[in-house]
Amino acid sequence: TIAKSPNPNIKLFISEWNLNSQDWRTGLFAGGFLNECEKRDVVAMGAAALFIRRTDSPDWDNAFINFDYKDVYVAPNYQVTDLWYDNYSRYLLNYTGETGDLNVVTTMSENGKDVIVKVVNATDKPYKLRIEGAWKGESAAKYDYFAPGDLMIGNTMDKKDAVKRMNRTFEPTDKAYVLDVEPYSAGVLTFERR
């Protein structure tokens, strides 16, 4: 519609995106939503709602940062958005590989050194993702991810790390990266370009 409009260069600002919960579903949604925005240059800016909230506020329960009179914790939507923000790039890369039901976006880092693969598995099935491209990547890969194993898990004041970031490294196989993607997971794979 935008491409056919009188102003085909218009950009979108998507405001107040989020889900109204604080469990792991918000983390999966954040990763999938941000991947879709990153794939399309028509989205210039986005802002999530609600950013910060006092825990005794009854109306909305979807804030990134939650506090009471003495402490604070972050929700899964914040955790995934923070990881995606640290690995954002506007330089999309083509890739080959069977992605199945995975939501995948591949970019080159802003400094041109690394390939970044953001992966969201919103299903209850594990996947084996094999990914390769015209870029040559033959270095060890790092995978930072969240996979709490249950959609209903969320952080609280009593358990601030119920959803916690994990990482692992691995080597390419036949010049492709084969990544075991856990069910209900969101993560970022990075490796150096050659």
Side-chain angles (χ1 to χ4, degrees):
T1 301
I2 291 171
K4 295 176 185 174
S5 75
N7 183 0
N9 297 318
I10 195 169
K11 299 294 182 187
L12 296 179
F13 165 53
I14 302 175
S15 65
E16 300 195 19
W17 63 265
N18 212 341
L19 296 180
N20 193 20
S21 77
Q22 283 201 31
D23 54 43
W24 177 234
R25 292 174 297 175
T26 64
L28 290 174
F29 175 79
F33 174 79
L34 293 170
N35 273 3
E36 293 308 309
C37 290
E38 197 164 357
K39 289 176 189 178
R40 292 162 177 78
D41 66 358
V42 72
V43 179
M45 187 170 26
L50 185 64
F51 185 69
I52 189 167
R53 112 184 228 282
R54 188 174 162 118
T55 54
D56 59 1
S57 174
D59 292 336
W60 292 94
D61 189 17
N62 65 346
F64 277 33
I65 300 169
N66 300 272
F67 69 98
D68 63 14
Y69 64 95
K70 63 180 181 177
D71 211 349
V72 66
Y73 72 91
V74 297
N77 47 10
Y78 173 90
Q79 293 171 289
V80 172
T81 300
D82 185 49
L83 178 59
W84 260 235
Y85 174 81
D86 287 345
N87 291 281
Y88 170 78
S89 175
R90 63 183 174 266
Y91 303 118
L92 287 172
L93 291 175
N94 290 325
Y95 63 89
T96 58
E98 179 55 48
T99 59
D101 292 328
L102 301 176
N103 183 321
V104 177
V105 64
T106 303
T107 56
M108 178 177 58
S109 63
E110 297 279 331
N111 65 11
K113 281 182 56 180
D114 301 321
V115 172
I116 304 164
V117 184
K118 297 181 189 82
V119 182
V120 178
N121 182 3
T123 75
D124 61 355
K125 300 179 294 192
Y127 276 88
K128 191 171 285 290
L129 173 64
R130 179 185 172 92
I131 194 158
E132 55 190 313
W135 25 266
K136 301 287 187 204
E138 298 170 11
S139 63
K142 177 178 78 160
Y143 185 53
D144 293 302
Y145 66 103
F146 299 93
D150 185 337
L151 289 174
M152 306 314 285
I153 288 177
N155 299 327
T156 64
M157 287 293 185
D158 295 330
K159 187 147 187 187
K160 297 177 187 173
D161 63 350
V163 176
K164 78 176 167 183
R165 187 164 154 179
M166 299 175 282
N167 57 65
R168 63 181 188 255
T169 59
F170 57 95
E171 300 289 333
T173 305
D174 298 327
K175 299 190 178 182
Y177 290 90
V178 180
L179 176 65
D180 290 315
V181 182
E182 297 186 37
Y184 299 137
S185 65
V188 177
L189 170 72
T190 55
F191 55 88
E192 190 174 335
R193 293 174 70 224
R194 300 278 182 189

